[in-house]
């Protein structure tokens, strides 16, 4: 998939995550981490995920986020498609996290499975999307 379509894939992933979380999970996430910045240095891409009790959405890049997750796109793809676990990637130093309160780890962990499922589905959607017409 071309690098320029990666931000669109991430936006689709967020909408899919939103549909997978229960209202109680969304509220817990919003209370613990109202804004999470995800950075993918190998793709020069970043995303700010804003959580409210009503929905998850992509926020403007300048949205202040106290919680930061940095990993290569390949690390996310390996985890989403079962080639490597995020836990193993974290222990190997392939995922960097900053700003997490250890007492809020439970809320972040509950996001992992929906995130991986949503990334996988969004990736497959993008793979099968028709190419834009050539002018």
């Amino acid at each position: 998939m071309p690098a320029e379509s990666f931000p669109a894939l991430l936006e689709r992933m967020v909408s899919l995550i939103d549909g997978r979380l229960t209202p109680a999970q969304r509220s817990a996430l919003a209370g613990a981490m109202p804004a999470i910045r995800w950075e993918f240095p190998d793709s020069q891409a970043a995303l700010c995920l804003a959580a409210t009790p009503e929905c998850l959405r992509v926020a403007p890049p300048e949205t202040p986020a106290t919680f930061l997750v940095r990993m290569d796109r390949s690390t996310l793809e390996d985890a989403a498609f079962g080639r490597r676990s995020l836990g193993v990637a974290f222990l190997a130093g392939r995922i960097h996290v900053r700003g997490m309160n250890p007492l809020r780890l439970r809320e972040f962990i509950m996001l992992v499975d929906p995130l991986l499922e949503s990334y996988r589905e969004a990736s497959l959607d993008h793979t099968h999307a028709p190419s834009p017409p050539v002018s």
Side-chain angles (χ1 to χ4, degrees), residues 36-105:
I36 303 170
R37 182 167 174 83
W38 298 82
E39 294 180 351
F40 302 91
D42 62 334
S43 298
Q44 290 81 44
L47 166 89
C48 186
L49 184 148
T52 66
E54 296 77 33
C55 71
L56 298 184
R57 63 179 175 75
V58 175
E62 64 275 1
T63 301
T66 57
F67 186 67
L68 170 72
V69 179
R70 182 177 293 131
M71 72 177 88
D72 283 346
R73 175 182 177 179
S74 61
T75 301
L76 178 58
E77 289 179 351
D78 284 349
F81 290 97
R83 294 184 292 262
R84 176 177 300 159
S85 79
L86 284 180
V88 169
F90 182 76
L91 292 173
R94 296 180 55 129
I95 301 173
H96 303 275
V97 178
R98 188 177 39 175
M100 178 182 285
N101 178 339
L103 299 174
R104 298 301 192 166
L105 186 58

Side-chain angles (χ1 to χ4, degrees), residues 6 8 11 23 25 27 29 32-33 39 48 51 60 64 68 74 79 81 89-90 94 102 104 108 115 117 133:
F6 187 55
E11 288 191 29
Q25 289 173 316
S27 289
L29 185 62
M33 295 168 239
E39 294 180 351
C48 186
L68 170 72
S74 61
F81 290 97
F90 182 76
R94 296 180 55 129
R104 298 301 192 166
F108 182 71
L115 174 115
E117 292 168 9

